[in-house]
Amino acid sequence: MDNSLLEEAVGIAANRGRVVVVVEDCVDTSGAFVLHHFLKRSLHPDSSDVVVFIAFAHPFSHYDRILRKMGCNLTVQRKNQRFLFLDMLTLECPDRNEREAREDGLLALYGEIEKAVEIYSSLEGSRTITIMIDDVSLMEVVANGSSNHVLDFLHYCYSLKEKYGCSFVTLNHEDIYSSANTLPLILQPEYLADVIIKAEPLATGLASDVHGQLTVLNKGSACDLGGSSSKVRNFHFRVKENNVDYFYPGTRT
C-alpha cells in the first residue's frame, strides 16, 4: 500500500491543521475509503489528535468494522475520548412546524459540535481537531430539503477552522445534484475547500485490478505575485479488504 501518493497530493504534513478537504464521489465509484483514510490517520497512536465525526450515512458499527480491518479500534478511541461519534440516524426532530424543526435540528447539532471542539481545545497539549461529515447530501434529509440551511450549517462549521484551528473533511455525492437549487451544495464547499478529491470511474471503463481514479486538486496558497500554487494530481486506486493501493497509471505489474 502506498498511502504516500495521497498524502503528498493532499499535503497534510505542510498544512497541519486548518485544512478543509472535500471528497466527492458518484454512484459508480464510492469515495468513502478516502474518508476512512483520514479517520485512521487522525487517530494514529503517535498523535493526540481527536475527531468529531457526524454520521448521516451509517451507524457506529459500520465504521468500527471497517476501521478494525485497517488496524484502528474506534471503540477504544471512543473510550479514550479521541473519537466523538454523533449518530444522526437516530435524530428526532422536535414536534414543531417544519421550518422550526429543520432550523433547530441543525442549530442544535452545530452547538454540540462547537461545545465539543471548545472542550478539546481547552485540554493541555497540542492537537488537531478534525470534524468529519458522512455525508453532506444526506444532510438535506435532516433539513427537509432546504439546501440553504445545509449551507448555513457548513459555513458555521468552517468558522471553527479559524477560531480553533480545526480541520474539516466532508464526503459528498456529486452526481445527485441535478437542479440549479441544489448545485450550490457542490459549488460552495468546493470554493471553501483547500483540497478537493474526486473519486471517479476509469475513463477507459472497468478493470479487474483497478477500481477507479482519484483527482486531487490542492489549491495551495496564494503567491506573492498574485498567482497560485495549486497542483492537480491524478492516480488510480484499488480498494482491498484492509487497505487501499494508490498508484500511477501504467505502474502496476
Side-chain angles (χ1 to χ4, degrees):
M1 176 175 64
D2 190 1
N3 282 334
S4 61
L5 282 181
L6 181 58
E7 292 288 329
E8 290 171 6
V10 173
I12 290 292
N15 298 291
R16 188 63 176 168
R18 296 179 178 270
V19 61
V20 176
V21 180
V22 171
V23 182
E24 296 175 351
D25 65 5
C26 58
V27 173
D28 293 333
T29 308
S30 172
F33 66 92
V34 181
L35 200 68
H36 303 152
H37 169 86
F38 287 123
L39 179 55
K40 179 185 177 182
R41 190 190 190 285
S42 297
L43 297 175
H44 193 279
D46 293 337
S47 79
S48 58
D49 296 349
V50 297
V51 174
V52 178
F53 197 99
I54 304 98
F56 292 90
H58 304 285
F60 174 81
S61 58
H62 170 83
Y63 304 99
D64 190 35
R65 174 176 54 82
I66 292 175
L67 268 293
R68 279 177 188 266
K69 293 180 180 179
M70 298 171 64
C72 179
N73 191 320
L74 293 184
T75 300
V76 171
Q77 300 293 353
R78 204 177 190 180
K79 291 179 180 178
N80 292 339
Q81 298 184 337
R82 291 189 59 197
F83 181 64
L84 175 62
F85 186 83
L86 301 179
D87 187 354
M88 305 312 297
L89 295 176
T90 60
L91 178 69
E92 295 183 2
C93 293
D95 186 19
R96 304 182 190 178
N97 66 58
E98 186 175 301
R99 179 182 177 85
E100 290 179 342
R102 66 194 184 201
E103 288 179 339
D104 289 353
L106 290 179
L107 281 175
L109 174 59
Y110 172 73
E112 193 168 352
I113 295 170
E114 184 180 33
K115 181 179 179 181
V117 169
E118 185 177 0
I119 292 174
Y120 282 129
S121 298
S122 66
L123 300 177
E124 292 185 4
S126 175
R127 63 180 52 80
T128 296
I129 303 169
T130 301
I131 302 169
M132 295 187 177
I133 297 180
D134 183 13
D135 63 69
V136 171
S137 62
L138 292 177
M139 290 180 65
E140 281 194 286
V141 178
V142 175
N144 290 330
S146 174
S147 59
N148 287 334
H149 289 309
V150 174
L151 288 173
D152 287 343
F153 172 82
L154 292 175
H155 278 282
Y156 292 149
C157 289
Y158 291 146
S159 70
L160 299 177
K161 172 186 174 183
E162 299 302 327
K163 188 174 182 180
Y164 296 102
C166 297
S167 288
F168 196 56
V169 182
T170 61
L171 176 64
N172 204 357
H173 302 309
E174 183 179 20
D175 55 354
I176 71 168
Y177 301 107
S178 57
S179 69
N181 292 333
T182 56
L183 194 58
L185 285 177
I186 284 290
L187 298 180
Q188 278 295 311
E190 285 184 348
Y191 174 76
L192 295 169
D194 300 302
V195 180
I196 301 171
I197 303 175
K198 293 192 177 187
E200 301 170 302
L202 290 176
T204 55
L206 298 176
S208 59
D209 60 343
V210 184
H211 292 158
Q213 60 186 3
L214 284 184
T215 300
V216 182
L217 168 61
N218 190 331
K219 295 181 181 179
S221 58
C223 298
D224 294 337
L225 298 179
S228 172
S229 58
S230 297
K231 294 182 179 179
V232 178
R233 296 193 184 184
N234 294 279
F235 43 87
H236 291 170
F237 65 86
R238 183 185 183 189
V239 180
K240 300 196 292 188
E241 180 69 16
N242 59 354
N243 58 45
V244 180
D245 286 339
Y246 302 98
F247 48 91
Y248 288 115
T251 59
R252 286 184 66 88
T253 57

